[in-house]
Amino acid sequence: MHNLGVLLAYIDEIGEPGAFVARDHARFNTSPAFGYAGFVIPETNARRFGTAFTEEKRRVFKTEIERAANPGQWERKGSSIFRPDTMAKFPQQIRVFNGLVRTLRALGGSLFYYADEKPIGTPAQTRLDTAQRETAAMQETLNRLARHSESQDGSNLMVMIDQINENQRSERVPNMYAHILGRASSHPEMRRIIEPPMHVDSVLSANIQFADWVSACVTRAIEFQIRDSPYRWVTGPKAVDAVRGSFTRESKLRLWKRSVPDLNHSEVFRSERPLHPTPDGQLLGSSIPDAALRKLRAGAQKRRQPGM
């Protein structure tokens, strides 16, 4: 394997770091996992891929872009592409996404994700610290990206993420720098990371925009794997088929106290859900509703309490 020089990783958030109870809960209903996803590409091909993304975006969203106040900074968020009805109403958007994944692979790139399943419960019940959750997910993301870089014959790595507010940036960067330096003594692959993650405004970066699309796609797949979800179509054989086999070996969904193994690589796009096996005679895709599942888990937790 030849040295690829510098790899560029573009990542965005999977879900959000807040608490999760159920999809039908009044407050804590957003996402059952949190982490980061995007893609890695040799720096020599990064601009080429960004150009391909921009051309495809301008073609498929031509009308919207022409009507925009600032067409050059128009972007379509991944959450607006990967909706429950996208495959039925806007299949051309999914064809474009698949085509871009294949272009990325042809240019030596790979998709990537890392996410932690959240414990079920309110912030008080789970003793939630959102800053700690964000930090832990970012640290493990960097660990795995560094490992991927090392596997590419020792390529160095720069990581870019969508821009956040200055207060968050000033808090996160020193923590990430300390993590990279501290871990490097026992894990030499961390030396592949040239700098802590750089924050880039998505309206100015086509590659950050595509990372957002990848993150949204992975988010929907993870949601389907963990809970009752309207995004089963994402894992269908005729949907985002290009993603299968396109993830780094280090991509992972770490499950929370489950009896089944973590999901790795393309496994989050399996149509048969390991967390919700289909009993004989049960319709494909059906599962225990969130409300019923929540009651079952609450009962199980109560039985595990001391003295019960």
Side-chain angles (χ1 to χ4, degrees):
M1 184 180 297
H2 66 283
N3 189 290
L4 297 177
V6 177
L7 292 176
L8 302 182
Y10 299 87
I11 59 174
D12 204 348
E13 291 184 350
I14 292 173
E16 49 79 38
F20 177 77
V21 175
R23 188 162 60 91
D24 59 356
H25 191 271
R27 290 185 60 192
F28 307 112
N29 55 19
T30 305
S31 59
F34 177 76
Y36 296 91
F39 67 98
V40 185
I41 191 171
E43 54 91 15
T44 51
N45 289 332
R47 181 173 294 181
R48 187 174 169 186
F49 179 78
T51 299
F53 173 85
T54 300
E55 290 175 350
E56 287 297 291
K57 182 184 74 170
R58 288 174 176 171
R59 182 179 63 81
V60 75
F61 298 112
K62 183 175 184 293
T63 301
E64 293 94 328
I65 292 174
E66 289 177 347
R67 292 174 179 172
N70 190 341
Q73 294 188 3
W74 187 91
E75 61 178 314
R76 174 58 58 93
K77 290 295 185 181
S79 58
S80 296
I81 292 179
F82 292 94
R83 300 182 301 184
D85 61 353
T86 301
M87 198 62 185
K89 294 185 177 180
F90 307 102
Q92 70 277 15
Q93 297 180 15
I94 304 306
R95 286 195 293 270
V96 165
F97 179 78
N98 278 320
L100 286 168
V101 172
R102 294 187 182 102
T103 298
L104 174 72
R105 296 291 287 152
L107 294 174
S110 299
L111 302 179
F112 169 83
Y113 69 89
Y114 175 79
D116 291 299
E117 181 186 7
K118 301 174 184 175
I120 298 293
T122 66
Q125 290 171 332
T126 61
R127 299 179 180 178
L128 175 62
D129 182 337
T130 56
Q132 192 279 331
R133 175 172 285 169
E134 290 177 349
T135 297
M138 177 58 77
Q139 288 178 345
E140 189 61 22
T141 293
L142 294 176
N143 296 348
R144 291 173 178 275
L145 287 172
R147 201 176 307 152
H148 173 71
S149 296
E150 182 74 8
S151 73
Q152 303 304 299
D153 200 23
S155 299
N156 288 331
L157 174 73
M158 292 189 67
V159 182
M160 279 150 285
I161 188 170
D162 197 2
Q163 181 171 282
I164 55 177
N165 66 57
E166 180 58 27
N167 287 339
Q168 288 179 306
R169 190 197 69 80
S170 62
E171 292 175 0
R172 290 183 185 181
V173 170
N175 290 336
M176 294 305 99
Y177 194 69
H179 172 71
I180 293 167
L181 291 180
R183 186 175 167 85
S185 60
S186 56
H187 295 78
E189 70 272 12
M190 295 301 287
R191 298 170 189 166
R192 300 297 170 194
I193 302 179
I194 298 172
E195 294 282 356
M198 300 174 62
H199 293 86
V200 180
D201 192 340
S202 62
V203 300
L204 303 176
S205 171
N207 287 344
I208 287 290
Q209 290 180 36
F210 186 66
D212 173 62
W213 289 17
V214 174
S215 179
C217 181
V218 173
T219 296
R220 301 315 193 199
I222 288 175
E223 289 175 359
F224 171 70
Q225 293 296 338
I226 293 178
R227 68 182 191 183
D228 187 33
S229 164
Y231 298 105
R232 180 160 64 99
W233 70 266
V234 174
T235 65
K238 297 182 180 180
V240 288
D241 57 299
V243 304
R244 292 180 172 85
S246 295
F247 289 96
T248 67
R249 291 170 55 90
E250 296 77 17
S251 296
K252 175 187 283 289
L253 168 62
R254 178 164 287 156
L255 301 173
W256 173 258
K257 296 184 178 179
R258 298 280 193 171
S259 60
V260 298
D262 296 335
L263 300 182
N264 300 282
H265 322 314
S266 304
E267 290 180 342
V268 293
F269 288 89
R270 290 173 54 179
S271 57
E272 304 83 14
R273 303 190 294 175
L275 301 182
H276 305 283
T278 304
D280 292 340
Q282 185 173 337
L283 294 176
L284 179 63
S286 60
S287 61
I288 301 174
D290 272 354
L293 184 60
R294 190 165 69 253
K295 291 179 181 179
L296 290 173
R297 289 181 179 174
Q301 290 175 350
K302 185 176 181 180
R303 289 192 296 272
R304 287 198 295 267
Q305 291 178 357
M308 296 298 292

